[in-house]
Amino acid sequence: MGSSRILCAVLLSILLCICNVIGQLTPRQRAEAVVADMSLDEKILFVHGTDRTSPYIGNIFGNVRLNLSSINLLDGPQGVGNGVRSITAFPSALNVASTFDTDLMYRFAEAMAIEHKIKGTNVLLGPMVNIARVPTGGRNFESFGEDPYLASILTSASVRGIQSQPMIACVKHFANNNQEYHRTTQSSNVDERTQWEIYYPAFQAGVEAGTGSIMCSYNKVNNDWACENQLIINRD
């Protein structure tokens, strides 16, 4: 009996030490540890959207072996979208931006995140922070307007509002997705100075506010697809 108690005490001490070490790991270290334990098939499954019959626009299956929950992604920057019923029709983000009121933007984003949480969303696909470059832009209504400084401070407020809830913000679309016409085929050709002075500041503000994710854009940037563009993804 005495030996059994000693063995139990030793095992308990080891478990406590392990839990303490795990608790001291940064989120990046925990993520790296999980990825290191994944098989190639598990990695591939986790970076592909699956189950388009689900009520979410994006759905990533969980991993029981690694205790990873599924991830539900849903539009968007105007509230719960994608045909979900019994939801709030929020005012357009551009209307909120026109008030120049960061506190109102925070509460606007917070309210959307609360409703998304009720609907089971994990990643709210917003805010949409592309600059309203042309007045006929098809998604100007959900942007923060044409001024990069205003868009930046409102992006910060929006990200903080969304993530005040158990919700991940997704700042989109990086980068230069400033028109809907032929957006999946056209190339936005922009010099570096213009990028950093006009089109990047809102994204930078989102990063500095702690956004949990960023969505790349549908278009090409300087003739390379944005989602596989080494310069804008790995350098900028």
Side-chain angles (χ1 to χ4, degrees):
M1 181 66 72
S3 299
S4 298
R5 288 181 177 177
I6 292 173
L7 180 59
C8 288
V10 171
L11 290 174
L12 180 59
S13 298
I14 292 172
L15 287 172
L16 288 173
C17 289
I18 292 173
C19 291
N20 188 47
V21 170
I22 292 174
Q24 292 176 357
L25 295 178
T26 65
R28 184 182 184 88
Q29 289 171 328
R30 293 200 300 272
E32 288 174 346
V34 170
V35 172
D37 195 29
M38 279 182 164
S39 67
L40 179 59
D41 287 342
E42 287 173 331
K43 290 176 182 177
I44 292 172
L45 183 62
F46 211 67
V47 296
H48 280 70
T50 54
D51 191 14
R52 291 304 298 270
T53 61
S54 80
Y56 304 97
I57 194 65
N59 180 266
I60 299 172
F61 287 142
N63 185 310
V64 176
R65 184 179 73 84
L66 297 172
N67 196 31
L68 298 175
S69 302
S70 62
I71 302 175
N72 300 320
L73 305 91
L74 194 64
D75 287 320
Q78 291 297 143
V80 178
N82 308 117
V84 178
R85 299 294 187 91
S86 301
I87 61 171
T88 302
F90 286 94
S92 78
L94 188 59
N95 279 350
V96 180
S98 298
T99 67
F100 291 70
D101 189 332
T102 54
D103 181 61
L104 181 62
M105 180 59 73
Y106 178 96
R107 289 186 285 122
F108 170 73
E110 180 185 39
M112 289 193 294
I114 290 172
E115 190 161 275
H116 268 278
K117 177 177 176 290
I118 293 170
K119 297 296 185 180
T121 307
N122 304 117
V123 182
L124 191 163
L125 299 176
M128 204 292 279
V129 305
N130 293 120
I131 294 297
R133 184 179 64 84
V134 292
T136 55
R139 300 184 73 167
N140 285 354
F141 71 97
E142 58 183 356
S143 77
F144 297 151
E146 61 189 19
D147 182 82
Y149 177 71
L150 178 62
S152 297
I153 60 174
L154 294 177
T155 296
S156 178
S158 178
V159 167
R160 289 186 289 106
I162 291 170
Q163 297 188 166
S164 68
Q165 304 301 307
M167 187 66 55
I168 298 173
C170 181
V171 177
K172 63 183 187 182
H173 313 81
F174 190 73
N176 310 123
N177 189 173
N178 303 93
Q179 66 182 55
E180 288 295 281
Y181 186 67
H182 288 171
R183 70 174 181 175
T184 59
T185 57
Q186 63 90 23
S187 177
S188 299
N189 297 327
V190 188
D191 65 88
E192 188 172 6
R193 178 175 178 177
T194 305
Q195 288 281 41
W196 283 101
E197 291 185 358
I198 304 296
Y199 298 107
Y200 281 175
F203 290 98
Q204 184 174 356
V207 171
E208 292 172 351
T211 185
S213 61
I214 295 176
M215 184 192 296
C216 53
S217 57
Y218 301 92
N219 52 281
K220 297 177 183 179
V221 176
N222 295 327
N223 302 310
D224 285 327
W225 294 110
C227 291
E228 53 190 50
N229 191 306
Q230 294 299 309
L231 290 180
I232 70 169
I233 292 177
N234 294 323
R235 184 197 67 179
D236 296 347

